[in-house]
Amino acid sequence: MERPVTSPVSPAVVLHPADDVAVALRPLEPGPIALRSGDAKTFEVRAAIPMGHKFALRDLPVGADVRKYGEVIGIATTTIARGTHVHVQNLRSRRARTPVAAPPSVTA
């Protein structure tokens, strides 16, 4: 016999306890949401967040490392307010800081 679902599906998920961002599982409008992480909690989204995009779980100053999956994924290029969209407008990839090696030359 199947068990009925007794709790609503969260509109966002925190992937790792050390994360600075959560991921929207559907488009979000400003307002309170239930956040799925290790413990259920209510969180205030302060800006529209597209589905699949990140939003800040805490205020992040310029130059702060930003974590997702428990790993640093980028650096804040502007101050990012708690509950707002985190994307290319305010985040620079850490990978962009590492020069890409030139491919080896091929001689015939």
Side-chain angles (χ1 to χ4, degrees), residues 1-104:
M1 182 168 155
E2 284 187 43
R3 301 177 114 199
V5 176
T6 57
S7 62
V9 175
S10 175
V13 64
V14 178
L15 300 170
H16 188 278
D19 285 355
D20 297 306
V21 297
V23 178
L25 300 177
R26 63 174 172 78
L28 302 176
E29 294 299 323
I33 63 165
L35 202 56
R36 183 172 45 170
S37 61
D39 54 339
K41 55 183 150 184
T42 301
F43 185 85
E44 186 76 22
V45 174
R46 296 182 182 165
I49 311 295
M51 183 175 85
H53 283 238
K54 300 172 293 297
F55 58 92
L57 295 172
R58 60 190 60 74
D59 291 334
L60 299 166
V62 173
D65 286 339
V66 179
R67 287 176 178 74
K68 179 180 176 186
Y69 314 111
E71 300 290 330
V72 176
I73 60 163
I75 299 166
T77 58
T78 64
T79 299
I80 304 171
R82 182 179 196 267
T84 62
H85 193 202
V86 176
H87 200 54
V88 296
Q89 79 279 3
N90 55 17
L91 181 71
R92 183 180 76 225
S93 171
R94 298 267 311 194
R95 293 180 195 168
R97 299 182 79 193
T98 305
V100 177

